[in-house]
Amino acid sequence: MIVYGSSLSPYVRKTLAFAAEKGIEVELQPAGFGGGPPEFKLASPFGKMPGFKDGDFLISDSTAIITYLEALKPDPNLIPAEPRARARTVWYEEFADTIIGACVGKVFFNRVVAPKFMKRDGDQKAIEEGISVDFPKLVDYLETIVPASGFLVEDRITLADIAVASPFANLAHAGCAIDAASHPKSAAYVAGILARPSYAGWVAQEKAMLGAA
């Protein structure tokens, strides 16, 4: 199985971590920003990361790929079967992809992607809005929902945790990490998920890549 994209994308990173937690081996092939093999263009008609290939099956979008992997290998189930737990898991993924993702778009894109990879200035107004307006709301909310177990749903690792932690890695890469003094539960929670083997190697590689870029 091949995932097309870059782990610097929170959606690609989420997909890679989900596969790892499922015990499914996937290969990451570089793609995006107008590049990538022909299969990426077929898998992702609009050039969005991640794209995915399993034999002759091609699909894009992290949620679609994760849904496929969950159905392909039901155990361990990372999308709970119990109705309320499943609904909460879907909500937390949406929270991550859309709401935290919007903050990542303002901060990470303009502080990291634009200057380092597109060789142009980022939008400083967007950065300031992301840091001063959006980010505090995210961590304030997270601080109220993190259980003592360190897992958002069913006191075990699920897609909820995999999805929520991923974009916070991007924000930290952009110098917008959670302050452990003001938000201790949120900081410990995100650090704990990103320290799991499914995430730790990718995050370390990204830090090294950004340091050299």
Side-chain angles (χ1 to χ4, degrees):
M1 297 183 194
I2 299 171
V3 174
Y4 300 103
S6 166
S7 75
L8 281 172
S9 158
Y11 308 107
V12 173
R13 188 190 303 111
K14 175 183 73 169
T15 303
L16 295 170
F18 186 89
E21 294 285 354
K22 293 290 285 186
I24 297 174
E25 186 175 346
V26 298
E27 174 189 347
L28 178 64
Q29 289 193 8
F33 294 108
E39 291 85 357
F40 171 60
K41 308 293 176 59
L42 293 172
S44 182
F46 298 97
K48 300 292 186 180
M49 297 184 277
F52 177 80
K53 179 177 186 290
D54 181 18
D56 61 355
F57 178 65
L58 298 165
I59 195 72
S60 64
D61 183 77
S62 61
T63 301
I65 297 165
I66 282 168
T67 300
Y68 175 74
L69 296 177
E70 179 77 4
L72 199 67
K73 188 175 185 290
D75 295 316
N77 74 316
L78 298 182
I79 302 175
E82 193 279 322
R84 294 185 181 186
R86 176 171 289 198
R88 288 209 177 277
T89 300
V90 172
W91 150 246
Y92 284 129
E93 188 189 24
E94 175 63 17
F95 166 61
D97 287 1
T98 303
I99 302 175
I100 309 177
C103 186
V104 169
K106 292 176 182 177
V107 180
F108 181 76
F109 178 83
N110 287 293
R111 266 193 175 173
V112 178
V113 177
K116 288 184 179 290
F117 300 105
M118 303 178 74
K119 306 304 178 186
R120 64 175 178 82
D121 293 337
D123 183 337
Q124 293 302 312
K125 184 177 179 181
I127 294 171
E128 291 169 9
E129 182 179 27
I131 292 173
S132 64
V133 178
D134 299 342
F135 186 72
K137 294 177 182 178
L138 301 177
V139 292
D140 284 350
Y141 171 66
L142 193 59
E143 193 72 10
T144 68
I145 62 171
V146 174
S149 67
F151 301 107
L152 291 173
V153 178
E154 294 190 337
D155 294 331
R156 65 182 181 92
I157 189 72
T158 67
L159 172 60
D161 307 300
I162 296 167
V164 168
S166 187
F168 279 108
N170 290 74
L171 290 166
H173 289 331
C176 188
I178 302 173
D179 183 352
S182 61
H183 294 82
K185 291 197 298 181
S186 301
Y189 166 73
V190 170
I193 302 301
L194 293 179
R196 293 176 68 87
S198 58
Y199 266 129
W202 294 114
V203 174
Q205 286 182 35
E206 291 157 17
K207 288 179 180 177
M209 182 195 314
L210 293 173

